[in-house]
Structures are given as C-alpha cells and as structure tokens.
Amino acid sequence: MTTMKETTRRVAQTARNAREPAADAVGTRRNIVIERIAPELDGGRHPVKRVVGDQLLVTADIFADGHDLLDAALLIRADDEPDWREAPMRPIDNDRWSGHVELVRNRWHRYAIEAWRDAWGTWQHGLRRKVEAGVAVPVELEEGRLLVERAVPRAEMAEAADDVRLLRAALAAVKRARSEARRVAALDTEDLAAAMRRHPDRASASRSAELPLVVDRERARFGAWYELFPRSQGPNPRQPTATTFAEAEWRIPQVAAMGFDVLYLPPIHPIGHAFRKGRNNVLDAAADDVGSPYAIGSAAGGHDTVAPELGGLEAFLHFRETVEAHGMELAMDIAIQASPDHPYVAEHPEWFRHSPDGSIKYAENPPKKYQDIYPIAFDGEDPDGREALWREWKRVFEVWIGRGVRIFRVDNPHTKPLPFWAWLIPAIQAEFPDVIFLSEAFTKPKMMRQLAKVGFTQSYTYFTWRESAGELRDYLGELTQGEMRDYFRPNLFTNTPDINPHHLDHGRPAFVIRSVLAATLSSNYGIYSGWELCESARLGEREEYLDSEKYEIRARDWDAKGHIKLLIGELNRLRHDRPALRRTNNLTFEAVTGERTLFYRKALPHGKVDPLTGFPNRWRDPVYIAVNCDPTTAERAILHPDLPAVGIGWDEPYEMTDLMSGAVTRATGADLVVDLDPAAEPFRMFTISAAR
C-alpha cells in the first residue's frame, strides 16, 4: 500500500475546490459512476467498526461512459484532521476496484472514493497501439506534450521537486528530438508515466458519499471481563459483612491472577430508601437490608456520587488505581434510572412519567415490579427539557471519564431512544476516543443490531440461550460471517446477576463447557463472580439466583471444592498467548462427525488477502477447539480439520500440540478421533503444525 504525501493531499484539495459543476448540475463533467461500495452500512447512515492496526479494505464498482481509462483513490481522514490521506485503488475484476489503508488512530473517521479519467493512461494506450500499427502520430505526440506541460504546475503546487524536474526534462527531450521515434521515446517511459499518475488532472473528478468509520482501541476487540459487587467481598463466608472499596481491594489480585482484562462494577452510587427491596427481591425490606444498587439516588447524591457505605469517591479512585496497577481496566455500570429518593425527582419531575393522579410511575417488566426504580422519560412535552435531559446524561458520563473510567457497561439501553445514543456516543468519543461502551440489551434482534449500529462498541448477545452445537454454529455464523461482522462486536457473557441459565443445573460440566465456548468463540467474553465456584442455586424455577447479591450482602469461599479457577486462568492465558484467539471474525467452523460436538478454528491470515473479499487463501498459527456442548452425555467425535487451509497436504504428516497439557502427537489425515466426556474432559484445544 502507498499513501499520498501531504503535498499531494493539497493538490487533491485544490481539485475539489475547482470551479467545476457538481455531479447533478447541467453540463457537469463529474460523470463517473461509483457504486456498491463495501463496506457500507445502510447507505452510510451508520459507521463501520475497525481497530487500530487493522487495514480498511474498500471495494466498489467504478465505471464511466466512453473508452477512457480511469483511476481512483481511497480517501480517509479522522474527524479532527482537515486533510485527507489517500491510498491508490486498482481494478480487480469487471469494473470492481479495490484499495486499502492502514488505520493508525483511535478516532471516528470518514472515508470516500474519488475517481477520475486517466488522461495520461488513455493517451499512452492509444499511442502504443498506433505505433505498433505503423501509423504516424504527430498529433498524438503534441497531445502528450501538452498533458505533460499541464502537469508541471500541479507538481509544483504539490512541492514535488523530483517530479517537476522529471516532467521538465521530458519536455526538453521532446523539444530536442529530431524524429518522431525519438519524441515517442522521450514521452513513453515508465518513470514519466509514474510521475503523471502522481499528478493527474482531478478538477472534474467524481466523489462518492463520505461514509463513517469508527477506529477503536484494541480493548474494544479483545478482553475478558469479570463482574463483582464491591460491597460483597468479605473474606468470611460464614459471616457476610458489607465491604468498602478499600476492604474489597484484596480481591483484585485474585481476579488478575485468573487473567482477566476488565474488572466491571455494577452501579456504585447511593441507594434509595423509599420502597427499598429486601432479600430475594421481596417487597418489604427489613431494617438492615442494603437495597439494590440499581435503585440509584438518595439524599447523599445521584449518578455522579459514590455511595458513602462504599467509602466515597477517594476510596473508589484508589480502587481504580489498584485495578490498573494489576494490569486490568475498570469498567462501571451506568443505569439511566432513579430511585424515588434521587435528587432528579425533586429537581426535574418532568424527566419522569406520571400517572393520572400525579404520582411517578415505577418500572415494570410484568410480572416483575420495581417499585424502587423510576424510569427516565425521554419523551417529555417540553423540547428544552428534553435537551437538558440529554445533556445531563452526557455530563454524567464525562464526570466518570474525568475520574479515569474509560469503559462503560450501559444498563438496558434499548429502553432509551436510539437518537439519544446516536448523539451521545459520538459526542463523547469526539473528545475521548478511547472510551468503550458495552450495550446490555437482551431484546429483539433488530434492536440489538441497531444499538450496535448507532455506536455501541460491544454488545451482549443471545449466547447464554444458545446451547446445542447446531444452535451455536448458526448463531455465531450470523454474528461473524455476514454484515454484522462490520459493526457488531459480541461480548459473550456466560451469566449475569440477572441471568442464571437453566443449563447450569447440570453442575460443573456445564460451567466447564460454557467457559470454553465463551472464551474461544469470541475475543470478548465475561463472567459474573461466583461462576468460577460453579454457583447455580436458583430462585424457584426462575432464571434468577437464589439469595442474589443484588439485594443482600454475600461472602464466598473462593477456594471451595470444585472450583474452576485454574481452567479459567488457563483459558485467559491462552487467549493472550495465541493471537488468533484475540479476534472473533476469524472464526471458522470445521467438519465433525458427532452431533453434540462443536468443532472450530481460529487462525491468523497468511500471505496476501483477496483484494475483493479481504479473506486470505491460507492461514497460520491455528487454534482448534472441539467441545461437547451436551453436559449430560459423553460423545466420541471424529474431527475433520481442513488441513490445506493451514498449508498441510491431506496425506502429509503433522504435529498436534495439546494446548492445555502441552503433549505433542504425530498424525496424518483429517480423521481425528476424540472422546469428549463431560464427567472428565468435554473439550480439546490444540494446534497443528507441519512435522519436523
């Protein structure tokens, strides 16, 4: 890839400002068709997502009337840059063009395609055909001389001194030549052609629409999340006592030791007293019940305040610094709702919905009722009030950004207007481009997708409810193989404080299976604390935890028998050691004989990629994962890896390295028999390399 120099960018700017009618004006010369641009989301209404270090590969159909040759460039600029960077595009097949550019900055961008008639290439092509046919070319030579002469000021404006000298030397050689053959030789050179391509006449170039692009930092694509309630980190499981941030810090090294990248906290704000819920979400709370941290706001403050019982702001800041000192980032929850005691209720009653009797409506999700929570109403009658509401929530995010938080999990974003998120997220990231937003939206598929389109960096998914091998294959294929790969980054949470999936009733084997699947199917995944202890006690038949720490203080024996901390640590270690596991869209499902077994590969591109699809023809450093998705039944499966895809012939010997044990075995052929027993080891992770 080559990019145009700063001086060339100024030439392009001059060409765009030339007095040439617009593409839709009478008499225009901007008549090159640029269509079917890929990637492109909904006609450019929403941004494509990439990560710093990626290549943005763009393809498009580019053609025009007549027989002139064309040239084109991919243009890109960050939202704080006045000038465009450019990369050349080239025709690949049947008027389909391709170009790519390295993405080096964590910011929102715009990209576009500009195409123009290649006057020099067209002239050169015609000249050569006539010379080969023995036709005299005096007129053509004069046309070529004029093209070079007109290119000189463009090269001068670009401050391309070497090209100016080359162009002037060609003109001098034509002037000195005493024969037509010598004049042809003076003009028809590769060096001159290259200089002319660098300084084309783009005054009447055609430009596509500008399309949005978000270039995030690496944490947007790769991270293991661990969720904990800081108030429930007491060391004695027999005597649970509420803990402050300072008292909870002892848990940070344990989380880091398991290899997590993000430590995520539910809301840490003051909790309301009115209609406070008791243990197991009962309506009548006892005097010592601590309430739900999602019932936000009290006389102590609202969303910009730390609960006094957690130690206040200074304790929070020290906790965050300690998390970072252990190599992790801190994420916090923003839940846009209020308790009846929140300062907003008295100061801005217009921000809530009211019943006919004037009372504020509390939240409901029938049959559940949340009398301790008031939803925020974004549809008030007063436009000024709505604007003030939007700006207040932007302020809340900015307060925590100012306190060092760069990752936010947003609670129930699907219950807030999409235009709000489409405004807020780009507005925040324009000033703080490293901020990451995780959408917690278990809702209809179209809404989940739309939230990702309007700007959410990552998204919760339906992974929790996709259990069989077939369901997982179909669902992950949808997330990674179609258009969603350009904007939807799945974060596969195994569980949440609200979701205790029923497959966990099968005990430790289910936890092992789901841990492996979450950690390896996606480069982003998360667990809620207690998962490593295989906690699954549920409230009746509901998909809820018994004795949920949303409503009470818990304490755990973190070394309890049957824990899977070592497995989680190994999975996270492999995710860091094996670059292929740091991506999601490189997921490939492999053939397998065995209906319960999911067999898939993660690998890195090897060699050049297809300029039309962006996919490589070969892969390297593969990681293979085979998982028996049924926690109740053992299965003997036959794995059929696509050996040529990783550079190994079907009959060539190769070495298999078990990534958990380190054992190396030699094999030939693509029929690998494995026994996957949930009671023992329901999965295999290995790599394949050519035999030495």
Side-chain angles (χ1 to χ4, degrees):
M1 184 202 76
T2 59
T3 55
M4 301 180 74
K5 298 179 180 178
E6 181 73 32
T7 53
T8 309
R9 279 181 261 163
R10 286 200 289 270
V11 171
Q13 183 69 41
T14 301
R16 291 197 297 276
N17 293 337
R19 296 180 61 185
E20 178 69 27
D24 58 353
V26 175
T28 186
R29 292 186 296 169
R30 303 186 190 277
N31 49 23
I32 299 174
V33 178
I34 305 172
E35 64 180 13
R36 294 183 59 237
I37 298 174
E40 176 189 73
L41 290 181
D42 299 336
R45 291 195 302 275
H46 302 116
V48 169
K49 292 188 177 76
R50 295 292 186 270
V51 167
V52 170
D54 284 349
Q55 282 189 349
L56 176 67
L57 175 74
V58 178
T59 60
D61 290 345
I62 303 175
F63 58 94
D65 58 279
H67 301 287
D68 291 344
L69 299 182
L70 305 179
D71 207 350
L74 170 62
L75 282 59
I76 186 169
R77 67 177 175 185
D79 58 3
D80 63 344
E81 295 174 342
D83 296 319
W84 295 86
R85 289 187 295 134
E86 295 194 2
M89 298 188 74
R90 60 190 178 97
I92 303 299
D93 178 59
N94 194 24
D95 292 328
R96 191 72 178 166
W97 290 60
S98 175
H100 61 272
V101 63
E102 296 283 348
L103 302 174
V104 297
R105 298 191 62 205
N106 168 208
R107 291 200 71 87
W108 281 61
H109 291 66
R110 310 286 292 180
Y111 64 99
I113 293 172
E114 190 163 285
W116 58 93
R117 292 179 186 268
D118 180 6
W120 185 259
T122 302
W123 171 85
Q124 189 177 52
H125 177 72
L127 176 75
R128 289 177 175 178
R129 291 188 64 182
K130 290 185 177 181
V131 169
E132 291 170 0
V135 177
V137 289
V139 174
E140 287 76 9
L141 289 170
E142 179 61 12
E143 289 174 346
R145 186 190 69 77
L146 290 173
L147 288 172
V148 176
E149 191 173 83
R150 293 166 186 161
V152 171
R154 295 195 294 270
E156 289 174 336
M157 185 177 296
E159 300 178 1
D162 291 344
D163 285 343
V164 171
R165 283 191 291 271
L166 193 154
L167 295 172
R168 292 191 181 280
L171 291 171
V174 170
K175 187 175 182 180
R176 292 193 304 269
R178 293 293 177 262
S179 69
E180 186 172 274
R182 288 184 177 275
R183 287 193 290 275
V184 169
L187 291 176
D188 190 12
T189 71
E190 290 305 314
D191 287 345
L192 180 59
M196 292 294 288
R197 283 194 296 270
R198 286 191 288 270
H199 307 287
D201 180 1
R202 293 165 63 170
S204 59
S206 296
R207 174 78 67 86
S208 74
E210 296 179 12
L211 304 172
L213 165 74
V214 181
V215 183
D216 291 302
R217 60 189 177 101
E218 178 66 19
R219 179 63 66 230
R221 177 163 59 197
F222 173 69
W225 292 50
Y226 186 92
E227 178 179 6
L228 64 77
F229 284 71
R231 70 184 187 182
S232 287
Q233 302 306 314
N236 187 350
R238 289 181 294 277
Q239 292 182 328
T241 55
T243 49
T244 64
F245 274 117
E247 293 166 334
E249 285 189 7
W250 74 281
R251 287 277 291 128
I252 294 173
Q254 292 189 355
V255 177
M258 286 188 287
F260 285 94
D261 308 293
V262 178
L263 180 57
Y264 153 50
L265 305 178
I268 58 172
H269 317 296
I271 299 172
H273 291 273
F275 301 102
R276 176 173 286 191
K277 294 297 187 70
R279 299 186 178 199
N280 289 314
N281 200 24
V282 298
L283 190 58
D284 297 319
D288 60 347
D289 279 336
V290 291
S292 167
Y294 288 91
I296 298 167
S298 74
H303 285 77
D304 55 3
T305 309
V306 177
E309 62 267 29
L310 290 175
L313 179 58
E314 291 304 315
F316 165 78
L317 294 175
H318 191 274
F319 186 90
R320 193 211 80 222
E321 291 168 357
T322 306
V323 168
E324 293 171 356
H326 283 81
M328 298 182 292
E329 288 190 66
L330 185 115
M332 67 175 294
D333 204 330
I334 297 292
I336 299 181
Q337 58 201 36
S339 84
D341 300 330
H342 197 293
Y344 288 161
V345 175
E347 296 169 4
H348 293 283
E350 72 277 10
W351 288 354
F352 301 91
R353 289 193 176 94
H354 296 257
S355 296
D357 63 2
S359 63
I360 296 177
K361 290 186 174 182
Y362 55 77
E364 292 187 79
N365 183 15
K368 297 180 182 178
K369 294 183 179 182
Y370 301 96
Q371 293 91 339
D372 56 340
I373 294 174
Y374 288 167
I376 303 295
F378 282 80
D379 56 354
E381 293 295 330
D382 178 22
D384 293 336
R386 293 196 301 269
E387 179 178 345
L389 174 64
W390 286 30
R391 295 194 182 281
E392 169 63 8
W393 285 109
K394 181 173 181 286
R395 184 194 69 83
V396 168
F397 280 99
E398 289 172 339
V399 164
W400 293 105
I401 291 169
R403 294 168 178 171
V405 179
R406 287 298 189 272
I407 304 179
F408 296 96
R409 181 264 200 188
V410 179
D411 189 67
N412 288 329
H414 58 288
T415 61
K416 287 75 184 175
L418 288 167
F420 169 69
W421 299 119
W423 166 78
L424 182 135
I425 294 174
I428 291 289
Q429 292 180 336
E431 187 173 357
F432 308 103
D434 58 336
V435 170
I436 290 170
F437 293 88
L438 170 62
S439 166
E440 184 266 349
F442 297 113
T443 180
K444 296 179 180 179
K446 289 182 174 59
M447 178 57 80
M448 292 178 73
R449 292 195 289 265
Q450 197 69 17
L451 287 164
K453 285 183 177 182
V454 300
F456 275 94
T457 317
Q458 299 178 7
S459 305
Y460 277 41
T461 72
Y462 299 135
F463 166 76
T464 315
W465 299 279
R466 300 296 185 265
E467 300 178 3
S468 71
E471 289 173 332
L472 287 163
R473 188 182 299 108
D474 291 344
Y475 185 52
L476 269 296
E478 175 188 345
L479 297 182
T480 63
Q481 304 304 314
E483 184 189 62
M484 290 181 74
R485 64 185 285 120
D486 280 325
Y487 67 88
F488 191 97
R489 292 198 189 100
N491 194 322
L492 305 188
F493 267 79
T494 58
N495 64 328
T496 78
D498 298 305
I499 300 172
N500 179 15
H502 286 280
H503 54 246
L504 299 184
D505 294 341
H506 298 295
R508 191 175 188 275
F511 284 84
V512 170
I513 289 168
R514 301 299 292 187
S515 296
V516 173
L517 290 169
T520 59
L521 282 169
S522 174
S523 53
N524 286 306
Y525 89 105
I527 66 172
Y528 157 54
S529 58
W531 176 269
E532 66 269 46
L533 302 180
C534 303
E535 289 183 352
S536 61
R538 67 180 61 258
L539 185 62
E541 294 301 315
R542 302 178 192 175
E543 197 178 59
E544 296 182 39
Y545 283 97
L546 180 66
D547 301 327
S548 170
E549 61 183 314
K550 287 193 300 179
Y551 307 104
E552 63 183 88
I553 301 301
R554 294 280 307 277
R556 298 172 172 94
D557 176 2
W558 295 106
D559 294 314
K561 183 178 179 181
H563 70 75
I564 57 171
K565 292 192 298 183
L566 295 179
L567 169 66
I568 291 171
E570 278 297 290
L571 290 172
N572 286 334
R573 177 188 64 79
L574 286 171
R575 283 164 50 86
H576 281 271
D577 291 349
R578 294 283 168 171
L581 294 177
R582 298 180 208 159
R583 301 179 177 225
T584 298
N585 289 340
N586 59 346
L587 175 66
T588 300
F589 290 105
E590 300 268 11
V592 58
T593 303
E595 63 180 14
R596 296 179 177 86
T597 299
L598 192 67
F599 182 40
Y600 49 100
R601 179 191 76 218
K602 294 281 193 76
L604 299 177
H606 181 64
K608 295 182 178 179
V609 301
D610 186 305
L612 292 179
T613 67
F615 290 102
N617 296 318
R618 289 266 301 278
W619 299 86
R620 63 178 176 85
D621 301 329
V623 176
Y624 295 90
I625 304 99
V627 186
N628 179 354
C629 298
D630 184 345
T632 67
T633 307
E635 178 166 83
R636 169 165 287 190
I638 305 176
L639 313 179
H640 308 291
D642 182 357
L643 297 175
V646 294
I648 298 172
W650 291 114
D651 297 322
E652 294 179 2
Y654 55 89
E655 291 182 347
M656 289 178 53
T657 302
D658 187 296
L659 294 177
M660 301 300 287
S661 69
V664 179
T665 58
R666 195 177 178 92
T668 303
D671 297 296
L672 306 176
V673 179
V674 293
D675 289 307
L676 304 175
D677 185 355
E681 192 173 39
F683 71 96
R684 297 287 189 279
M685 293 180 63
F686 59 92
T687 186
I688 287 176
S689 58
R692 288 175 282 185

